[in-house]
Amino acid sequence: MRKLDSGKDDRRQATRGRALGEKSRTSPLLVILACIALILLAAVIFLLLRNKVFFPNNEQGLVREGESNFHFSPPSEEEILTEASASVLPSAESENTATTSTKAVTSVSSARSSTEGLSAQEKQAQAELIQAHIKENFDPSQLISQSYCLMDFETGLVLAEGKADQSLPPASLTKVLTALLALDHYADLNQEVIIQEEDIAGLAEADASTAGFQAGQSVTIEDLLNGLLLPSGADAAHALAREISGSQEAFVQAMNAKAQDLGLKHSHFTNPTGLPEEGLYSTAHDMAKLFWSASQDERFVKIAGSNNYGMAPDDFYPEGLGMLSTFIWKFNSDPDFATRILAGKSGYTGKEQCQASLFEKNGRRYVLITLGALTDDPNSATAVHDQVVVMNDLVK
């Protein structure tokens, strides 16, 4: 019996051995399969990152087809303060000449142009060649905006346009004219003014964007211009209008006189902010002329091309008042976007987005206006989509 039992034990041991042997023989295969799976997974992740399938059909990283595929999340107040904190000066530095930090934006003075050294006739000839190329190759059906205008910065030649004389609300692009009048009026941007109650009255009720200035606060013209052009502050617009002309009504008269001087034949302005109002209208062509004129002043380009601005600490803002551009950060959100945005301004009516930009590509500068991009979301990529389509596809 013991021998029989022993035989059974031997058979059991042999069975266990075979099972263990089979397990040991299959283990290397499982390891190899697991390694292959990991390699394939890594390759897929690499391709996703490389081709940016999260932004389909666009090698630059910004979606071209439909606003729903790409959406911007607006910066929070904490992000604005963090972004602008680097440019907030200590109170000891009372000049209020706040520095700006921006990744893809440079002053127009430092932009190297491919037209340097050319005669006016040669510049015009170059612009006409670009115009002919665009006319032959560009498909305007890609755009969402109701109208657009692309202008050569060097010559002022309109390179491409679509319904560019159609009257549309300019929204906060109006503030470009307000800024231009202020720059005409003030040679010294360090001049100080006091914010009045009338500058901020009614803005909250009108749901207007503001820079955050407070009644009784002492600020410089530079502070006001940054508040006007970066966060699109209606409070800054009101303060500048009052300081320059004495009243909003008198400033509006100056606005329309300046518009006439600039040859804006299809525009009329009723306030310095661009808040919707009967009788306030413009066109893409007129806005291109306006932005082109404003961009001749390097002070305008420096401010409108800044990503952020920080005011020195005061009694109203012990840590300083930070401001973030409503325009520049949208383009800087994609690190692969190669076009150099030199200056920009955005606007929103509650139904439509509009944008103005000065940009450089292949050593040449352009002004681009897009108006009437329909959307009910101020943070959608509708107007940015059109700007990117033109910058990437139209301009070569």
Side-chain angles (χ1 to χ4, degrees):
M1 291 296 294
R2 290 179 183 172
K3 288 184 179 180
L4 290 174
D5 291 341
S6 177
K8 290 180 181 179
D9 290 340
D10 291 342
R11 286 193 296 274
R12 291 193 190 100
Q13 293 296 332
T15 301
R16 289 197 193 99
R18 284 195 298 272
L20 291 172
E22 289 172 359
K23 289 182 180 180
S24 64
R25 285 195 299 272
T26 57
S27 294
L29 180 59
L30 291 175
V31 171
I32 292 171
L33 290 174
C35 291
I36 292 174
L38 289 174
I39 292 170
L40 289 174
L41 179 61
V44 170
I45 293 172
F46 173 79
L47 289 173
L48 287 175
L49 294 174
R50 181 183 178 186
N51 295 315
K52 288 188 177 290
V53 298
F54 302 109
F55 303 96
N57 302 322
N58 187 355
E59 63 188 8
Q60 296 292 350
L62 289 175
V63 169
R64 299 170 188 268
E65 303 196 7
E67 64 170 303
S68 62
N69 292 329
F70 191 76
H71 193 279
F72 292 110
S73 296
S76 64
E77 291 185 12
E78 292 78 11
E79 289 172 325
I80 292 175
L81 290 172
T82 300
E83 181 74 17
S85 62
S87 60
V88 176
L89 295 177
S91 56
E93 299 182 30
S94 58
E95 291 296 322
N96 276 331
T97 53
T99 59
T100 58
S101 64
T102 172
K103 177 175 54 181
V105 183
T106 56
S107 169
V108 69
S109 62
S110 65
R112 297 182 60 187
S113 174
S114 62
T115 60
E116 288 181 6
L118 297 181
S119 66
Q121 292 81 3
E122 289 171 327
K123 291 179 181 179
Q124 184 72 19
Q126 272 192 357
E128 289 174 357
L129 286 174
I130 296 172
Q131 182 187 53
H133 173 81
I134 290 171
K135 185 176 182 180
E136 182 178 352
N137 293 283
F138 184 62
D139 177 14
S141 66
Q142 298 178 72
L143 301 181
I144 300 170
S145 298
Q146 297 178 54
S147 68
Y148 70 96
C149 183
L150 177 71
M151 180 181 288
D152 179 56
F153 184 79
E154 298 296 332
T155 63
L157 179 68
V158 174
L159 302 174
E161 60 183 345
K163 298 182 180 179
D165 289 327
Q166 177 181 340
S167 293
L168 288 166
S172 285
L173 298 193
T174 300
K175 295 185 177 83
V176 174
L177 180 54
T178 301
L180 183 55
L181 286 170
L183 290 168
D184 286 347
H185 188 81
Y186 293 102
D188 180 12
L189 300 188
N190 290 318
Q191 182 173 329
E192 293 191 3
V193 300
I194 304 296
I195 301 296
Q196 305 296 320
E197 285 285 354
E198 64 185 274
D199 299 333
I200 58 179
L203 294 182
E205 292 78 2
D207 196 27
S209 57
T210 62
F213 297 117
Q214 302 293 320
Q217 187 178 11
S218 177
V219 300
T220 65
I221 300 301
E222 182 181 18
D223 294 334
L224 289 175
L225 284 169
N226 276 277
L228 178 76
L229 294 174
L230 300 190
S232 199
D235 47 356
H238 282 178
L240 287 167
R242 176 185 52 76
E243 284 290 327
I244 293 170
S245 300
S247 69
Q248 305 296 318
E249 294 75 17
F251 188 77
V252 167
Q253 291 181 6
M255 292 175 73
N256 285 304
K258 183 68 174 179
Q260 187 174 8
D261 290 344
L262 295 175
L264 310 188
K265 298 179 180 180
H266 305 288
S267 299
H268 185 261
F269 300 92
T270 59
N271 62 60
T273 63
L275 285 171
E277 196 170 58
E278 185 177 355
L280 173 62
Y281 58 85
S282 188
T283 66
H285 191 194
D286 280 2
M287 283 289 107
K289 288 182 181 178
L290 173 60
F291 206 78
W292 180 86
S293 298
S295 297
Q296 303 300 315
D297 191 324
E298 290 192 13
R299 297 175 298 170
F300 174 84
V301 176
K302 178 183 177 183
I303 294 172
S306 299
N307 190 48
N308 58 75
Y309 179 82
M311 287 177 53
D314 58 17
D315 292 340
F316 293 88
Y317 294 97
E319 296 182 0
L321 175 60
M323 306 172 191
L324 186 65
S325 170
T326 61
F327 181 88
I328 298 297
W329 70 273
K330 294 182 178 181
F331 292 87
N332 287 353
S333 65
D334 188 299
D336 294 327
F337 185 61
T339 300
R340 300 176 66 194
I341 308 297
L342 301 173
K345 182 75 187 76
S346 62
Y348 180 60
T349 66
K351 296 180 180 179
E352 301 169 351
Q353 289 180 339
C354 53
Q355 291 191 335
S357 64
L358 172 68
F359 68 95
E360 182 187 49
K361 189 166 183 180
N362 298 328
R364 196 177 187 97
R365 287 167 287 170
Y366 304 87
V367 168
L368 175 60
I369 306 294
T370 54
L371 296 180
L374 295 172
T375 178
D376 58 0
D377 182 357
N379 299 308
S380 73
T382 309
V384 175
H385 165 280
D386 286 354
Q387 293 266 323
V388 171
V389 165
V390 173
M391 292 174 185
N392 284 352
D393 289 352
L394 194 154
V395 178
K396 298 296 185 182

